[in-house]
Amino acid sequence: MNTTLELAEDLSLTRVGFGALQLAGPMAWGPARDHDKAVAVLHEVVKLGITHIDTSDYYGPHTVNHLIRETLHPYPANLRIVTKVGARRGPDKSWPAAVSRDELTAAVHDNLEHLGLSTLDLVNLRITDTTAAADVVEPFTVLAELQEQGLIRHLGLSNISVEQLAAARGIAPVRSVQNFFNLAVRKDDALVDLCAEEGIAFVPFWPLGGFRPLQSDALQEVADELGHSPLQVAQAWLLQRSPTILLIPGTQSVEHLRENVAAADITLPAEAVAKLNAVGSTEARMPWEH
């Protein structure tokens, strides 16, 4: 059962959501590879009862939000669209930081316009290449001001440190944290636990990113023993790791979307959890560093 996590009275998200990045073209650039398949996936998201879509106006850029609006607007009453700001796309398809007051304000308005919304449910501030607490203060303050203006309901953070989370919480409530974390890359174990204690959603990305061959072999062995795919087992492990972990796997396939949601029905036995726990590393390795 794809249960929900209630983060606020008006913010209830299914624990297995949907990450929309893959609905853009290669390298998250340009329109969907297959428009009709992308539309079918979004319709299936709603049909499966998913209430959590994660997107950003810099996916495409703009094309994913346009597709979501084209397909699902007017949105179901229980659907929450989570967006991300703090970066932009360069003409070389790069992802440079964009955290000035003007850039953040423009990004919020762009998300509103392209999604066809008057208020964004949850906006995550993406931080790039810094763990210093001071670096989150000014941009998060800008988003808090936009929240006070009624343009944003709730705020979150992405790619941040424990110190940055503390600094942001001194400015406004933080509902979610999106960081690179999975059973192989465990440098944020303490942050996962802190979020659980404080009732903050922890949303890990790249559930199979940063794996070494031996780690992948261990995951495959457990998956074979249980009769599930490695991705399903990796997601099930995350769901069991913390009660406030939310997943946002992305796909361009209705079949794969259903498989991802089915991970919520998997309960890993203790011996499988122990075997998977043993492969973890506190070393941060991004997927392209294989």
Side-chain angles (χ1 to χ4, degrees):
M1 181 184 299
N2 193 7
T3 57
T4 60
L5 177 64
E6 186 169 333
L7 298 168
E9 187 175 340
D10 59 348
L11 188 62
S12 182
L13 304 177
T14 44
R15 294 198 66 200
V16 179
F18 174 71
L21 181 147
Q22 290 189 38
L23 296 185
M27 296 180 66
W29 188 269
R33 296 172 179 84
D34 187 314
H35 177 271
D36 291 345
K37 286 184 178 180
V39 167
V41 166
L42 287 170
H43 281 307
E44 188 70 12
V45 165
V46 173
K47 182 179 177 181
L48 290 172
I50 293 171
T51 67
H52 178 192
I53 293 179
D54 180 88
T55 184
S56 175
D57 208 52
Y58 58 71
Y59 295 166
H62 317 311
T63 59
V64 170
N65 280 356
H66 281 305
L67 181 66
I68 292 171
R69 179 177 183 175
E70 168 198 334
T71 306
L72 299 180
H73 194 278
Y75 302 111
N78 67 340
L79 182 64
R80 300 291 174 259
I81 299 179
V82 178
T83 54
K84 193 185 296 88
V85 298
R88 59 181 176 83
R89 300 304 299 275
D92 59 349
K93 304 182 183 179
S94 59
W95 307 72
V99 294
S100 71
R101 175 174 292 275
D102 288 346
E103 288 171 321
L104 291 172
T105 301
V108 167
H109 282 281
D110 285 346
N111 277 283
L112 287 167
E113 177 184 353
H114 296 144
L115 289 167
L117 294 169
S118 59
T119 305
L120 298 173
D121 292 310
L122 171 60
V123 174
N124 289 304
L125 171 65
R126 181 182 189 265
I127 298 297
T128 303
D129 297 331
T130 174
T131 59
D135 292 332
V136 80
V137 172
E138 184 174 350
F140 201 73
T141 297
V142 173
L143 293 185
E145 291 171 0
L146 295 172
Q147 182 183 36
E148 291 175 357
Q149 295 172 25
L151 300 180
I152 303 171
R153 290 193 178 91
H154 301 286
L155 299 175
L157 297 159
S158 178
N159 200 35
I160 56 98
S161 65
V162 171
E163 293 77 16
Q164 288 171 330
L165 174 59
R169 294 182 75 196
I171 298 166
V174 175
R175 302 299 185 189
S176 68
V177 170
Q178 288 189 0
N179 272 23
F180 179 30
F181 180 84
N182 56 42
L183 68 89
V185 180
R186 305 274 294 280
K187 72 181 183 67
D188 277 338
D189 264 328
L191 183 54
V192 171
D193 292 335
L194 175 62
C195 286
E197 292 169 6
E198 299 297 332
I200 298 170
F202 187 95
V203 187
F205 51 82
W206 286 322
L208 292 182
F211 276 60
R212 294 183 175 88
L214 290 178
Q215 293 170 321
S216 295
D217 289 346
L219 175 60
Q220 185 68 60
E221 289 174 7
V222 172
D224 291 343
E225 291 170 2
L226 299 177
H228 301 299
S229 73
L231 179 57
Q232 285 180 312
V233 171
Q235 292 180 111
W237 180 89
L238 285 165
L239 291 171
Q240 287 182 225
R241 171 62 182 80
S242 165
T244 66
I245 277 185
L246 303 178
L247 305 182
I248 49 169
T251 180
Q252 303 171 59
S253 161
V254 168
E255 179 183 353
H256 290 161
L257 175 65
R258 292 170 182 161
E259 290 177 1
N260 290 335
V261 173
D265 293 327
I266 299 172
T267 300
L268 300 176
E271 57 270 22
V273 172
K275 184 180 293 186
L276 294 173
N277 285 348
V279 308
S281 170
T282 58
E283 180 183 347
R285 301 177 71 250
M286 302 305 261
W288 52 82
E289 295 176 331
H290 282 240

